[in-house]
Amino acid sequence: MKDNSVPLKLVALLADGEFHSGEQLGEALGMSRAAINKHIQTLKSWGLDVYTVTGKGYSLPAPVQLLDEAAILSHLHQPDLAVIPVIDSTNQYLLDRMDQLASGYACIAEYQQAGRGRRGRKWFSPFGANLYLSMYWRLEHGPAAAMGLSLVIGIVMAEVLQSLGAPDVRVKWPNDLYLNDRKLAGILVELTGKTGDAAQIVMGAGVNLVMRTENASEINQGWINLQEAGVEINRNELAAKIINSLRDALPIFERDGLASFVDRWDALDNFIDRPVKLLIGDREVHGIARGIDKQGGLLLEQDGEVKSWVGGEISLRPVN
């Protein structure tokens, strides 16, 4: 694995958002100004926008709140956490180590080189801009018991964000968080295990905190970050609270299934009682969203009849 220790030290020096001369940085890191410039290019490849001004040096556009492993651990009810600043994918890190992990083990990162979204999509993951978090869980009752799990994760994350000062965060079936009708966070659940065996599950989540528009041209849908909505949340506190809340909620889900979460979903549902279109492959189904059932299916009303759907994705349908 590539040694990223020098670029990470460089980020820590620049994290205050002030200008630092190449000479100052070189002295602090014991290297030439030319070597500093080479590491600045690494930071740019991580999605950091580094200003270079002749006579002043280098700076970031704004201060960056870096992940603080000690601060996060101090808030966790149980440790079981890996903080890896630069990683291919937090989900993949846990998938590669499942046999060694206890349920609830979590991994967070500053930057993902190969972050994954649903349906093989890339999850855009610039350094220090968002929260990238994954957790491992073992479901003894097998893969079938995982039905509705992504909904529970969405509920927990939305409630945490609301409790930390973002009261308008909502859930979108089956696995996104929305704010002002735009995507704020995504959830990816990856599952292994055969019927009759325990299911090993890795749950990944990405929450947009301060990601800038110019850095995100490759995202193919309307999105928002908390900063744009005027919400400031401490990233370390958010990570700890999501981890603790998931570790509290998942045993309840294991015991009771989705039943005890349906009312919580309805209270958070961004699309409930609104006209939507459900996309299943090439098929498009129009109706009024009426929440979810106890299996996690989307309840869609058409011509006065409510039917449950278990696949696809929804979006708002323009009202004529």
Side-chain angles (χ1 to χ4, degrees):
M1 184 179 287
K2 184 180 176 184
D3 181 9
N4 291 306
S5 56
V6 174
L8 289 171
K9 288 175 185 172
L10 187 55
V11 170
L13 292 169
L14 294 171
D16 59 7
E18 302 293 331
F19 273 98
H20 299 263
S21 72
E23 192 174 357
Q24 289 171 329
L25 295 171
E27 274 180 31
L29 296 174
M31 60 183 61
S32 68
R33 280 188 286 183
I36 290 293
N37 189 58
K38 180 182 153 201
H39 291 299
I40 291 288
Q41 301 313 309
T42 297
L43 301 193
K44 289 181 177 180
S45 76
W46 291 351
L48 281 162
D49 190 8
V50 185
Y51 294 156
T52 306
V53 178
T54 304
K56 295 183 77 174
Y58 305 98
S59 90
L60 299 177
V64 173
Q65 182 186 72
L66 298 173
L67 292 173
D68 183 334
E69 184 171 0
I72 297 168
L73 286 169
S74 73
H75 288 97
L76 292 184
H77 303 150
Q78 68 182 76
D80 291 348
L81 173 70
V83 178
I84 304 172
V86 177
I87 200 169
D88 283 345
S89 155
T90 54
N91 262 32
Q92 194 60 49
Y93 178 86
L94 298 181
L95 286 166
D96 290 343
R97 293 160 178 79
M98 288 191 300
D99 294 340
Q100 309 151 39
L101 304 178
S103 284
Y105 195 96
C107 175
I108 57 176
E110 294 278 16
Y111 168 63
Q112 295 185 112
Q113 293 168 315
R116 294 201 296 273
R118 289 182 71 226
R119 303 178 188 274
R121 297 169 184 145
K122 181 182 178 183
W123 186 265
F124 187 66
S125 309
F127 188 101
N130 305 318
L131 179 65
Y132 317 115
L133 182 153
S134 296
M135 182 179 288
Y136 167 77
W137 202 269
R138 180 183 168 96
L139 284 177
E140 296 300 335
H141 297 301
M147 189 171 288
L149 177 60
S150 65
L151 306 183
V152 173
I153 300 165
I155 291 165
V156 168
M157 288 175 56
E159 290 175 345
V160 166
L161 285 160
Q162 287 191 354
S163 75
L164 292 175
D168 297 325
V169 173
R170 297 288 182 266
V171 290
K172 177 201 175 194
W173 184 90
N175 48 12
D176 290 331
L177 299 189
Y178 262 45
L179 179 60
N180 301 342
D181 279 342
R182 289 189 283 162
K183 183 170 178 173
L184 176 71
I187 295 160
L188 174 67
V189 176
E190 299 189 86
L191 181 152
T192 63
K194 300 189 290 286
T195 304
D197 295 341
Q200 300 203 83
I201 294 167
V202 171
M203 305 156 274
V207 185
N208 299 332
L209 300 182
V210 298
M211 182 163 66
R212 291 180 301 282
T213 308
E214 62 267 24
N215 281 352
S217 56
E218 47 198 281
I219 301 174
N220 63 357
Q221 61 179 296
W223 61 277
I224 192 171
N225 65 45
L226 288 177
Q227 185 182 63
E228 183 185 339
V231 177
E232 281 190 37
I233 290 180
N234 182 295
R235 202 157 53 120
N236 295 301
E237 184 182 359
L238 175 62
K241 198 157 186 180
I242 288 175
I243 292 168
N244 282 334
S245 299
L246 284 173
R247 288 172 177 171
D248 289 344
L250 291 171
I252 297 170
F253 173 72
E254 272 194 279
R255 187 189 69 219
D256 301 337
L258 198 58
S260 58
F261 293 90
V262 172
D263 288 345
R264 288 163 68 179
W265 176 275
D266 287 347
L268 294 163
D269 191 341
N270 188 68
F271 291 81
I272 199 160
D273 300 330
R274 299 174 77 180
V276 299
K277 59 182 177 184
L278 172 65
L279 304 173
I280 307 177
D282 295 332
R283 188 178 176 197
E284 201 171 285
V285 183
H286 291 198
I288 307 294
R290 299 299 188 199
I292 59 169
D293 62 20
K294 291 180 181 177
Q295 284 71 48
L298 170 73
L299 296 175
L300 203 59
E301 181 181 329
Q302 295 176 291
D303 302 322
E305 185 180 338
V306 177
K307 182 180 172 185
S308 176
W309 300 79
V310 294
E313 298 184 46
I314 60 170
S315 61
L316 278 180
R317 194 173 90 237
V319 178
N320 295 328

